[in-house]
Amino acid sequence: MNSLTVTPQGPLRGTIQVPGDKSITHRALIVSALAEGSSTITGYCHGEDCLNTLRALQALGVSIQVDSDKVLVSGKGLSGLTEPEQPLDCGNSGTGLRLLAGALAGQSFCSILTGDSSLRSRPMGRVVTPLRMMGAAIQGRKGGELAPLAIQGGALKGITYHSPVSSAQIKSAVLLAGLFAEGETRFSEPLPSRDHTERMFLSLGIPCEVERQTLVLSGRPTFAAQDLVVPGDLSAAAFFIVGASLVPDSEVTIVNVGLNPARTGILDVLGEMGADIRILNRRVQGGEPVGDLVVRHSPLRGISITATQVPTMIDEFPIFCVAAALAEGETKVTGAEELRVKETDRIHTMATELTKLNVAIQETPDGFILQGRANVKGGPCLSHGDHRVAMALAIAALTGDAPITIHDTDCIATSYPQFHDNLLDLLTFSH
Ligand code: S3P
């Protein structure tokens, strides 16, 4: 329950490296555990979310050695996991719980997945429904809508599933279960979500093709472990991209950032708002596009965001709200109701906290309307236990004229344990 006080103190300047991508780290750990043979994952995310997935895999009998920059996973193959003695605690992580549910649906033993109070209130029916259709027996509170989930896996069969929600977590749960299924698994969704799982499958030689907007996976492949490299997390970089855009005289370089096109909505939107972002050294690493970002201060204009843009910047809305609060003119977001079922209801938490800081923001059922050019005022505010809300408020604090204290900031370690160090590096470098 720590707190963080941030005082406005001039530009952000210097070069940083953000943590490894959280989404890719979860996938790298799970897929390596199911592969035949050992592999090294370099640049993994040290955030608590990913460490919970790592510990869950260890409890499933996978040997994982942890080093400062890499982990060594001894893969057990598709049928090598063993029954855990205790419930598997995924902490705050929807990705960890939903992806593990997919992998555990194919196991012939019983396992229980749970997490903290936030995770136990998030919708799980969205993965339970297709996994049951594939043949897994899953019990949970409210008919399987809420964790803890008890999964008795077994002989799965491939299904054709159209998800009502665009979600990489649903897609990845179905694809991971599809590895164990007899026959083909076909998956489609309204708008494309991030495709890290598909890219990783392909790089490991697991056939996973797109046929007219439907993903097709052939079940029961054998695949050998392969060393994986995790790029920096664009969702972590976004805090300093917005910070550098907003604070006059700033210039920040963020090296080695993942630029998967299903994730770069925030760069496109900030660019349209007037941000000065250059991408250098574009390259492909482990099947994922990567580059270095140079961001300079630039005045921003308000913008309208609609449903089609939402999946490509789904995790960036808390920090996007801060960008919009300082931009010239109005910003309107629609079609973003998924924000209400994230680590917190991010429409409500951001509206509540930004209102405390003197920002004119009005909630709507599926988004918000925000008036820019706010005079951000100092004082206390609250993260609500949501890591991205905490970091967004810390960046907002750089734009006002009095310190802001954010309460309940332990949650930052969920995805970005070195956030405060990186912030101090960029502020110190400028003095
Ligand atoms: C994630 C997918 C997104 C995102 C989450 C990570 C993933 O969730 O919000 O932080 O790693 O698959 P949905 O795709 O379910 O919206």
Side-chain angles (χ1 to χ4, degrees), residues 98-244:
R98 294 188 179 114
L99 269 56
L100 283 169
L104 293 172
Q107 307 298 326
S108 57
F109 51 75
C110 175
S111 45
I112 296 174
L113 289 166
T114 190
D116 67 11
S117 60
S118 155
L119 188 54
R120 282 184 274 111
S121 69
R122 294 179 64 187
M124 293 301 154
R126 50 179 59 196
V127 291
V128 167
T129 298
L131 296 177
R132 280 179 177 157
M133 285 167 66
M134 296 176 86
I138 305 181
Q139 300 294 326
R141 291 181 302 134
K142 295 226 162 43
E145 185 55 37
L146 297 177
L149 298 180
I151 303 180
Q152 176 62 59
L156 303 185
K157 57 179 190 314
I159 55 168
T160 296
Y161 190 67
H162 180 73
S163 171
V165 184
S166 295
S167 160
Q169 296 182 358
I170 303 175
K171 175 173 64 182
S172 303
V174 171
L175 290 178
L176 284 164
L179 293 177
F180 300 87
E182 189 190 331
E184 278 180 358
T185 295
R186 294 172 168 264
F187 181 92
S188 57
E189 58 187 342
L191 292 164
S193 62
R194 63 191 69 185
D195 62 355
H196 304 303
T197 305
E198 302 89 295
R199 286 175 186 258
M200 200 172 284
F201 278 11
L202 286 175
S203 83
L204 286 159
I206 301 170
C208 180
E209 306 299 336
V210 184
E211 281 176 17
R212 275 187 259 115
Q213 278 147 34
T214 297
L215 268 166
V216 184
L217 170 75
S218 301
R220 305 188 177 160
T222 44
F223 54 100
Q226 207 180 77
D227 290 346
L228 298 168
V229 181
V230 182
D233 198 329
L234 177 59
S235 297
F239 298 102
F240 294 110
I241 296 172
V242 170

Side-chain angles (χ1 to χ4, degrees), residues 241-242 244-246 266-278 294-301 323:
I241 296 172
V242 170
S245 297
L246 295 180
I266 187 68
L267 298 181
D268 302 335
V269 164
L270 288 171
E272 270 186 67
M273 293 171 82
D276 179 353
I277 304 170
R278 280 181 304 142
V294 181
V295 188
R296 293 205 188 96
H297 164 68
S298 178
L300 304 183
R301 301 176 288 279

Side-chain angles (χ1 to χ4, degrees), residues 253-267:
T253 300
I254 310 171
V255 295
N256 194 36
V257 182
L259 295 172
N260 182 308
R263 298 276 298 277
T264 48
I266 187 68
L267 298 181

